[in-house]
């Protein structure tokens, strides 16, 4: 094991994949400046700065990928992905199907998002569900340094376009990362903590709030199972259903807003496939339906916090949970 | 257009440039000491902001980007409300919702600031369209960087403005940097005006570190727009003296290039060439320093938004 920042864990994953596969390359605005260790090792043909133009960055990745390259592109901050939407959604997501399976698009598009840097809504927008809703794309949003490495390596090897989201607040935090070959499969959730009383399902930075909440609940004798989705598409339905059938109570937590978010999909899956096991309504703790504010106190109010999760969990465990609607907290949106 | 500028006008420009410099250096120092979040400064580019804004009239409009403090202050923004916005306070121009990156101030005619690089170019077309439809006399000044010129929206905007005859003054601040990438890595020629000229509009590239030259060039462009209703492209050739944002160690910056541009600092040049008296300069500097300290103190003392503000202003 080594201790790496999440940013370095990603860099290590890319370096290892570039060593084993000459078709892997990386480009984006400032990539060669900021990842100079990659530039030094692999040279200016495979690690490139680009002009400031997300559409052509993504378009070039889509075109190169179908011809046998495996590009990793850094689109910097998630809102800038909107300038690459046509290339990612209309081309990468559709042209395989529309061509009757003639083409494949093994590319990774990464971007940062999330509260913590008070950068405001044009740098921070948890728009991961947009891509989940788009056919032909895969979406990952890890929460541990080890998973960032393992999922990046799997994403690069995958033959489909993968959107790779990084919480900016976590990018320079360190964590344990296995050395060398460490692959985390796409589409597999991780049970971070086992418990029988209720299930907390989350991803990204909100996992921390869930783990804090789970610790606080444990002190009160309530044992929450905590599931880290890691991949949002494919979504690990089996893990979600297995835990819900065991505990009967589920809270989904994410920083993206509620309406049509990943939590909505999970609630629907549970209603369709685990209705008989549910002892209480599925709850969602999310940000409200507003653009992310800059002001620090508003950022805190915007993002799901542990106390709201504890309150939601306790409301589900109250004897009346099935009959009276639990009171949602302020940031339950 | 080459008559000498009134000493009063020049003194006002000097004071405006010193105010911008002091404002941004304070913001950078507060970031370094952990009292404020990072911002993008325009240190070294003050002449571009002040020269263009001084040439605008009261009904003219400004669109700008992430590096906007100079444009705002030159237009008369209150540094206390700018600092308040940087600190996320409710008294900021955007009630703390923006932070430093997208400060607009409708009351000053600074509309639709966006930190999506190139967005101001798209939006300026619409602001210019409205001015033309409503038969207002407003010129729309759109500030953007050399990096923004690499976005498709640059070409889309210039083309639409040319064919629809929109009253837009495009102001490209070519500061040689696009975040962490040198301009020379991203475009084959040195001047953005080469691209603009291909869109069939009059263009000028001016020494962006000479406030008088910028002012004169802007006046000429604005006169053309008022006379014809058609767009004009002005490039101010300048340099970003500090990092892309605070903090930034500028490890990737060529030291000789930086030194050469520091020697052409727009404020030093104005102070030296125009031989303002030492006393005069000291008086202005003191006034500016006091204003900045007072503004910072006011912003620090201001309240944060409340919980209820989180969901305010989403819909009209
Ligand atoms: C669409 C988009 N892509 C990338 C960024 C990140 N970014 C912010 S400023 C900047 C450089 C802009 O360069 P330029 O237009 O020359 O303006 P300057 O910063 O030099 O004033 C970059 C890459 C962004 N804000 N928006
Ligand atoms: Mg620039």
């Amino acid at each position: 094991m080594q201790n790496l920042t999440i940013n370095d864990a990603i860099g290590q994953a890319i370096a290892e994949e570039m060593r084993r596969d000459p078709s892997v390359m990386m480009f984006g605005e400032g990539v060669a400046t900021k990842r100079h260790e990659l530039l030094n090792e692999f040279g200016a043909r495979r690690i490139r700065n680009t002009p400031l133009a997300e559409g052509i960055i993504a378009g070039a990745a889509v075109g190169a990928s179908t011809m046998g390259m495996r590009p990793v592109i850094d689109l910097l901050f998630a809102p800038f992905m909107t300038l690459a939407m046509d290339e990612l959604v209309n081309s990468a997501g559709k042209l395989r199907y529309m061509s009757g399976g003639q083409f494949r698009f093994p590319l990774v598009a990464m971007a940062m998002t999330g509260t913590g840097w008070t950068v405001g809504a044009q740098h921070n927008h948890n728009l991961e569900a947009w891509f989940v809703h788009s056919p032909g794309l895969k979406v990952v949003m890890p929460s541990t340094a080890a998973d960032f490495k393992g999922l990046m390596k799997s994403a690069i090897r995958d033959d489909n376009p993968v959107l790779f989201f990084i919480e900016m607040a976590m990018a320079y935090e360190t964590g344990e990362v296995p050395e060398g070959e460490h692959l985390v499969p796409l589409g597999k959730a991780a049970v971070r903590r086992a418990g029988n009383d209720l299930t907390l399902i989350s991803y990204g930075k909100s996992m921390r709030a869930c783990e804090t909440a789970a610790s606080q609940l444990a002190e009160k004798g309530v044992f929450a199972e905590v599931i880290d989705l890691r991949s949002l598409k494919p979504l690990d339905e089996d893990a979600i259903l297995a835990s819900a059938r065991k505990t009967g109570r589920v809270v989904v937590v994410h920083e993206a807003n509620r309406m049509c978010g990943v939590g909505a999909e999970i609630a629907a899956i549970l209603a369709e496939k685990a209705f008989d096991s549910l002892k209480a309504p599925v709850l969602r703790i999310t940000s409200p339906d507003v653009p992310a504010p800059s002001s620090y106190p508003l950022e805190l109010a915007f993002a799901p916090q542990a106390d709201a999760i504890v309150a939601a969990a306790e409301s589900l465990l109250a004897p009346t949970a099935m009959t009276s609607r639990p009171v949602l907290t302020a940031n339950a949106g | 257009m080459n008559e000498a500028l009134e000493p009063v006008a020049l003194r006002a420009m000097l004071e405006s440039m010193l105010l911008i410099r002091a404002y941004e250096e304070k913001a950078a120092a507060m970031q370094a000491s952990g009292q404020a979040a990072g911002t993008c400064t325009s240190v070294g580019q003050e002449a571009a902001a002040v020269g263009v804004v001084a040439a605008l009239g009261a009904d003219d409009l400004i669109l700008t980007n992430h590096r906007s403090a100079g444009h705002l202050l030159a237009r008369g923004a209150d540094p206390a409300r700018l600092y308040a916005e940087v600190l996320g306070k409710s008294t900021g121009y955007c009630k703390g919702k923006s932070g430093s990156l997208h400060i607009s101030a409708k009351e000053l005619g600074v509309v639709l600031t966006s930190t999506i690089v190139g967005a101001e170019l798209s939006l300026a077309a619409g602001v210019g369209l409205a001015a033309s439809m409503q038969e207002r006399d407003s010129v729309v000044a759109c500030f953007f960087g050399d990096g923004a010129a690499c976005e498709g929206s640059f070409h889309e905007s210039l083309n639409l403005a040319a064919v629809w005859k929109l009253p837009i003054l495009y102001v490209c601040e070519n500061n040689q940097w696009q975040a962490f990438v040198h301009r020379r890595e991203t475009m084959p020629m040195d001047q953005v005006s080469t691209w603009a000229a291909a869109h069939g509009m009059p263009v000028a590239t001016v020494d962006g570190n000479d406030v008088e030259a910028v002012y004169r060039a802007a006046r000429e462009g604005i006169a053309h727009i008022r006379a014809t209703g058609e767009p004009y492209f002005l490039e101010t050739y300048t340099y970003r003296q500090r990092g892309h944002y605070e903090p930034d160690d500028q490890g990737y910056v060529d030291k000789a290039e930086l030194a050469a541009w520091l020697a052409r600092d727009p404020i030093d040049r104005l102070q030296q060439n125009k031989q303002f008296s030492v006393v005069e300069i000291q008086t202005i500097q003191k006034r500016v320093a006091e204003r900045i300290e007072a503004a910072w103190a006011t912003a620090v003392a201001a309240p944060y938004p409340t919980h209820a503000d989180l969901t305010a202003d989403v819909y009209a």
Side-chain angles (χ1 to χ4, degrees), chain A residues 29 52 54 80, chain B residues 66-67 115 117 145-148 175 177 179 244:
Chain A
E29 296 156 16
L52 207 173
E54 293 71 21
F80 311 162
Chain B
H66 54 284
R67 215 174 287 290
T115 190
V117 172
D146 46 299
N175 64 2
W177 285 99
H244 171 48

Side-chain angles (χ1 to χ4, degrees), chain A residues 7 18 40 51 53 61 71-72 92 138-141 147 196 199 212 249 274 308 323 329:
Chain A
N7 191 49
M18 289 186 73
N40 289 342
V72 178
K138 296 187 177 182
V139 184
V140 300
M141 192 150 171
D147 279 358
N196 288 318
T199 305
T212 306
R249 298 179 178 90
T323 47
T329 54

Side-chain angles (χ1 to χ4, degrees), chain A residues 29-30 51-54 57 75-77 79-83 122-123, chain B residues 40-42 45 65-67 101 114-120 144-151 172-181 183 187 240 243-245:
Chain A
E29 296 156 16
L52 207 173
E54 293 71 21
I57 294 169
L75 294 171
L76 306 184
F77 292 89
F80 311 162
M81 290 178 143
T82 61
L83 282 83
Q122 290 184 343
H123 281 73
Chain B
C40 294
T41 76
S42 63
Q45 303 174 218
N65 60 10
H66 54 284
R67 215 174 287 290
L101 287 171
S114 173
T115 190
I116 298 298
V117 172
E120 71 279 36
F144 60 98
D146 46 299
C150 294
E151 291 278 8
C172 180
E173 288 184 54
N174 184 344
N175 64 2
Q176 316 302 320
W177 285 99
Q178 308 176 358
F180 309 104
V181 182
R183 192 250 321 134
M187 42 179 69
R240 192 193 77 199
H244 171 48
Y245 56 64

Side-chain angles (χ1 to χ4, degrees), chain A residues 4-297:
Chain A
L4 292 182
T5 65
I6 279 169
N7 191 49
D8 288 341
I10 293 168
Q12 185 173 83
I14 295 168
E16 288 177 13
E17 293 307 298
M18 289 186 73
R19 272 174 222 135
R20 72 179 274 284
D21 182 348
S23 66
V24 179
M25 67 182 299
M26 184 176 189
F27 47 93
E29 296 156 16
V31 158
T33 313
K34 284 184 286 181
R35 296 205 179 268
H36 42 83
E37 69 295 342
L38 291 180
L39 177 66
N40 289 342
E41 182 175 350
F42 301 104
R45 274 171 62 78
R46 293 177 71 191
I47 299 291
R48 298 185 185 216
N49 281 338
T50 63
L52 207 173
E54 293 71 21
I56 195 65
I57 294 169
V62 175
S65 69
T66 206
M67 297 306 293
M69 300 303 295
R70 287 185 179 269
V72 178
I73 57 172
D74 187 352
L75 294 171
L76 306 184
F77 292 89
F80 311 162
M81 290 178 143
T82 61
L83 282 83
M85 237 30 198
D86 169 56
E87 292 77 4
L88 295 172
V89 174
N90 287 323
S91 296
K94 297 179 185 170
L95 286 177
R96 174 177 173 75
Y97 181 83
M98 292 174 72
S99 66
Q102 293 179 69
F103 306 113
R104 65 186 63 194
F105 301 101
L107 67 92
V108 181
M110 55 192 244
M112 295 199 288
T113 187
T115 53
W117 287 8
T118 65
V119 283
Q122 290 184 343
H123 281 73
N124 166 20
H125 187 166
N126 283 77
L127 41 68
E128 59 275 4
W130 299 9
F131 296 100
V132 175
H133 200 63
S134 289
L137 305 175
K138 296 187 177 182
V139 184
V140 300
M141 192 150 171
S143 79
T144 69
D147 279 358
F148 273 97
K149 175 174 176 181
L151 279 162
M152 178 53 83
K153 285 170 71 80
S154 297
I156 292 171
R157 291 186 201 183
D158 199 277
D159 279 341
N160 298 285
V162 180
L163 284 298
F164 193 97
F165 289 98
I166 304 155
E167 293 271 7
M168 67 184 93
M170 293 166 57
Y172 298 96
E173 294 180 0
T174 54
E176 290 206 328
V177 179
E179 321 233 1
E181 187 77 348
H182 165 63
L183 292 170
V184 174
L186 301 180
K188 279 267 166 281
V191 178
R192 298 291 181 205
R193 180 195 271 260
N196 288 318
D197 296 331
L198 80 155
T199 305
L200 304 177
I201 301 178
S202 187
Y203 60 89
K205 177 161 86 304
S206 300
M207 275 301 299
R208 303 223 169 134
C210 287
E211 295 193 48
T212 306
S215 302
Q216 290 173 8
L217 287 165
E219 282 167 22
K220 302 180 185 187
V222 174
F223 297 98
E225 183 141 297
V226 182
I227 295 185
D228 182 354
L229 292 172
R230 311 194 284 193
S231 292
L232 307 181
K233 194 178 197 178
L235 190 61
D236 191 346
E237 256 191 49
D238 292 346
I240 294 166
L241 289 170
S243 185
R245 289 192 178 115
K246 179 167 79 168
T247 66
R249 298 179 178 90
V250 177
V251 182
V252 192
V253 185
H254 54 62
E255 199 167 301
N257 55 333
R258 294 160 82 74
M259 197 171 185
C260 301
V262 169
E265 179 60 27
I266 291 172
I269 290 170
L270 292 172
E272 285 168 356
K273 302 190 180 170
F275 190 73
D276 290 346
S277 312
L278 293 179
K279 298 176 193 146
V282 177
L283 289 190
R284 287 173 287 163
I285 309 278
T286 71
S287 64
D289 189 18
V290 309
S294 166
S295 182
Y296 185 65

Side-chain angles (χ1 to χ4, degrees), chain B residues 6 20 23 74 88 113 118 157 160 177 188 210 220 231 250 258 272 283:
Chain B
E6 294 288 329
I20 296 167
Y23 171 89
T113 304
S157 178
L160 192 70
W177 285 99
D210 176 346
E220 202 165 311
Q250 292 179 281
L258 177 60
Q272 284 154 13
T283 309

